[in-house]
Amino acid sequence: MKRFLLLPLLLLLVHTQSFGQNYPQILPMKERAAVIDDLLKDKIQNVLPDLMERTGIDMWVVVSREYNEDPVIKTLLPATWHAARRRTILVMHLLGNGKVETLAVARYNVGEMFKRAWDPESEPDQWKRLVEVIEERDPEAIGINTSEIWGHADGLVVTDHEEMKAAIGEKYTDRLVSAEKLAVGWLETRTEKEMQIYPHIVRIAHEIIAEGFSDKAIQPGVTTTEDVVWWYREKIKELKLNTWFHPSVSIQRADPESFDHLRTFDSRPGENVIIPGDLLHVDFGIKYLRLNTDTQQHAYVLRPGETEVPEYLREAFDNGNRVQDIFTNNFKEGRTGNEVLKMSREQAMEEGLKPSIYTHPIGYHGHAAGTTLGMWDAQDGVPGDGDYPLHLNTAYSIELNAATYIEEWGKEIRIMLEEDAFFDESGVWYIDGRQREIMTIPRIPAKQ
């Protein structure tokens, strides 16, 4: 991927006043809309033609009715549209020479890119107008969003599907094909412009996590895990951001209770008070400029007299970083998720590690469309989306854990890590770095 400066976007990001005290710049709503629409225009013009060529679809028809939106159409709407209007039909026609014609068989222009191609006054039947658009262009393969594997690519509802087939007749119904690989390609591919902006978004998420895992938000002996969860929610709203899932905060500590990492995805009891000696874990994500983050990090609450994280926890954390390295080093264009999962787990276990890998694509959605590389309950491979090959210029939440037995605690703990990363011709690189050391609470211990 080419690396170049996008001055209008970068200047907008740099010179806009921040809503937060110590956070990277966060744009006011008007400027956010301008950035979103610019990213969409760029992607339609510079990415969509190649995706249509790659998947052999020369017309893509996306149909949605208001408040029952296809997941794909939400990524095609302008920033000021929160939903489709009545029935919205978007048509993308491959012209060749790297160009795509974009039309809206709808009552309105759909932003700048999709110009209205239907006048209800002259032709009241919207489906008939779609037929005219198709007949005028006579495509060989008409892609529609149906898929058994990806819910993201299965947005065409039964009613619209049946009415569409009845309208276009047998000739063009025979040319209907699943657009699942085109839809997935559209959703998973990150553009050059997006990757200028994504590090800034992940940095915001990292900064929020760090503040929440500090004595600004946590008073040992008083603050509960649920208190911290709601601190994160309040901070997100204070910064005028959104989250795509409810954060979770969990504890591992020197007690006889065995730790089940699955419970980190559930609400923890409010009386679970944070105390010195606790190893804290957070799972946290934000949505900003239509892009999502998903991060899991750790902090340790220092005991009286401690000035650093105990060595046994540092070693456990190093095991987690090592599993990350093994895993990301196995990414190669064309390999399937199941292949990368298998070879990574085998290599990690040969090194004496105890890995569990459950990595997913990220972008327009938190759990996004694309190549799945393991699930917590499918460590032998994931049928369907695990068989999908890796493509370049795609982003992933590198999510996994490494289990380590802690003699001092008499139990096994898990270092559960998740960091957003990008896969291109250079390999996998973390969009805003990754956690390499456990944070401490407080950051600078009081002098003894």
Side-chain angles (χ1 to χ4, degrees):
M1 173 174 285
K2 298 176 182 177
R3 308 292 172 86
F4 59 91
L5 290 179
L6 303 163
L7 290 179
L9 281 175
L10 292 180
L11 289 174
L12 192 59
L13 286 168
V14 169
H15 291 295
T16 305
Q17 182 179 2
S18 172
F19 287 111
Q21 295 278 330
N22 301 308
Y23 295 95
Q25 299 294 322
I26 299 172
L27 300 176
M29 301 304 294
K30 182 179 179 181
E31 282 77 5
R32 295 186 204 188
V35 172
I36 289 169
D37 289 345
D38 182 73
L39 293 174
L40 176 59
K41 179 180 179 181
D42 170 72
K43 190 168 184 177
I44 288 174
Q45 292 178 338
N46 297 313
V47 173
L48 183 58
D50 289 342
L51 293 175
M52 295 184 74
E53 289 276 7
R54 186 178 86 187
T55 54
I57 291 174
D58 52 341
M59 179 176 283
W60 190 14
V61 181
V62 180
V63 185
S64 274
R65 280 174 289 161
E66 195 167 2
Y67 302 120
N68 190 26
E69 283 77 14
D70 181 316
V72 171
I73 207 170
K74 290 185 176 183
T75 70
L76 296 169
L77 298 176
T80 54
W81 282 42
H82 295 284
R85 296 180 180 174
R86 300 191 185 181
R87 176 182 280 116
T88 298
I89 303 175
L90 302 183
V91 177
M92 289 148 279
H93 176 230
L94 184 62
L95 299 174
N97 299 317
K99 296 187 181 299
V100 170
E101 176 188 28
T102 52
L103 304 170
V105 183
R107 293 175 177 272
Y108 321 93
N109 290 334
V110 180
E112 178 185 349
M113 294 307 297
F114 294 91
K115 300 301 182 184
R116 186 179 77 146
W118 175 42
D119 179 9
E121 298 299 322
S122 60
E123 174 51 77
D125 191 321
Q126 187 179 19
W127 289 118
K128 285 186 178 179
R129 178 56 188 143
L130 175 63
V131 172
E132 292 173 354
V133 169
I134 293 173
E135 289 178 342
E136 289 164 4
R137 291 153 183 82
D138 196 29
E140 291 298 319
I142 306 171
I144 54 175
N145 289 346
T146 59
S147 174
E148 294 182 5
I149 298 174
W150 289 279
H152 312 78
D154 193 35
L156 182 61
V157 301
V158 171
T159 299
D160 288 331
H161 193 187
E162 294 300 320
E163 290 188 12
M164 180 179 178
K165 289 190 293 184
I168 66 177
E170 183 178 351
K171 175 181 177 180
Y172 288 108
T173 294
D174 289 343
R175 300 185 190 184
L176 294 178
V177 298
S178 169
E180 66 175 5
K181 290 185 178 180
L182 174 55
V184 170
W186 168 261
L187 295 172
E188 74 171 345
T189 304
R190 305 273 62 84
T191 67
E192 293 175 341
K193 281 193 173 185
E194 286 173 339
M195 291 313 299
Q196 291 283 337
I197 289 171
Y198 222 156
H200 190 92
I201 299 171
V202 181
R203 174 63 58 83
I204 294 170
H206 280 163
E207 292 294 333
I208 297 172
I209 289 173
E211 185 175 356
F213 269 2
S214 76
D215 50 12
K216 290 184 179 180
I218 296 174
Q219 180 180 348
V222 175
T223 307
T224 69
T225 52
E226 283 299 288
D227 291 336
V228 183
V229 166
W230 286 103
W231 184 95
Y232 281 123
R233 290 301 300 268
E234 292 288 350
K235 180 59 66 173
I236 289 168
K237 289 303 180 183
E238 176 187 324
L239 296 172
K240 299 185 179 180
L241 299 171
N242 291 314
T243 184
W244 61 276
F245 68 96
H246 194 68
S248 67
V249 175
S250 58
I251 294 173
Q252 298 181 83
R253 57 170 56 131
D255 63 14
E257 182 182 3
S258 63
F259 182 74
D260 179 0
H261 79 280
L262 299 184
R263 72 184 183 182
T264 66
F265 303 112
D266 298 327
S267 296
R268 301 303 307 279
E271 62 272 14
N272 199 3
V273 177
I274 296 168
I275 59 175
D278 282 348
L279 178 64
L280 305 182
H281 164 266
V282 65
D283 192 356
F284 176 86
I286 62 172
K287 187 180 188 74
Y288 178 52
L289 301 176
R290 280 195 180 162
L291 295 172
N292 291 274
T293 74
D294 197 359
T295 311
Q296 295 180 45
Q297 294 191 343
H298 290 270
Y300 175 76
V301 185
L302 294 169
R303 298 176 184 273
E306 287 183 324
T307 59
E308 61 182 3
V309 177
E311 183 178 0
Y312 53 84
L313 292 181
R314 297 200 304 269
E315 291 176 353
F317 196 86
D318 288 344
N319 289 341
N321 280 159
R322 178 56 187 154
V323 174
Q324 287 177 320
D325 290 339
I326 292 169
F327 177 54
T328 58
N329 287 339
N330 284 322
F331 274 54
K332 183 178 180 180
E333 183 182 12
R335 279 182 181 163
T336 68
N338 290 334
E339 289 172 340
V340 175
L341 174 69
K342 183 176 186 295
M343 61 198 309
S344 299
R345 280 176 47 77
E346 289 177 351
Q347 182 180 345
M349 288 186 286
E350 286 173 1
E351 293 188 15
L353 300 169
K354 190 174 179 180
S356 182
I357 298 170
Y358 32 96
T359 286
H360 58 86
I362 195 163
Y364 292 136
H365 302 93
H367 292 159
T371 306
T372 296
L373 301 106
M375 291 183 175
W376 64 265
D377 58 349
Q379 289 296 284
D380 292 327
V382 182
D385 47 357
D387 297 315
Y388 184 68
L390 290 166
H391 292 93
L392 297 179
N393 304 324
T394 50
Y396 301 86
S397 285
I398 305 300
E399 184 178 8
L400 47 78
N401 76 62
T404 301
Y405 186 80
I406 304 297
E407 292 283 353
E408 291 80 357
W409 288 6
K411 64 192 290 186
E412 185 177 80
I413 70 164
R414 286 180 174 85
I415 299 298
M416 298 166 287
L417 300 175
E418 186 170 19
E419 297 285 0
D420 299 322
F422 186 63
F423 174 52
D424 63 11
E425 66 278 357
S426 69
V428 176
W429 51 273
Y430 290 95
I431 295 174
D432 181 52
R434 58 171 166 161
Q435 187 177 21
R436 299 299 298 267
E437 296 179 347
I438 299 172
M439 291 178 274
T440 62
I441 302 171
R443 292 286 189 275
I444 303 174
K447 291 183 179 180
Q448 304 300 317

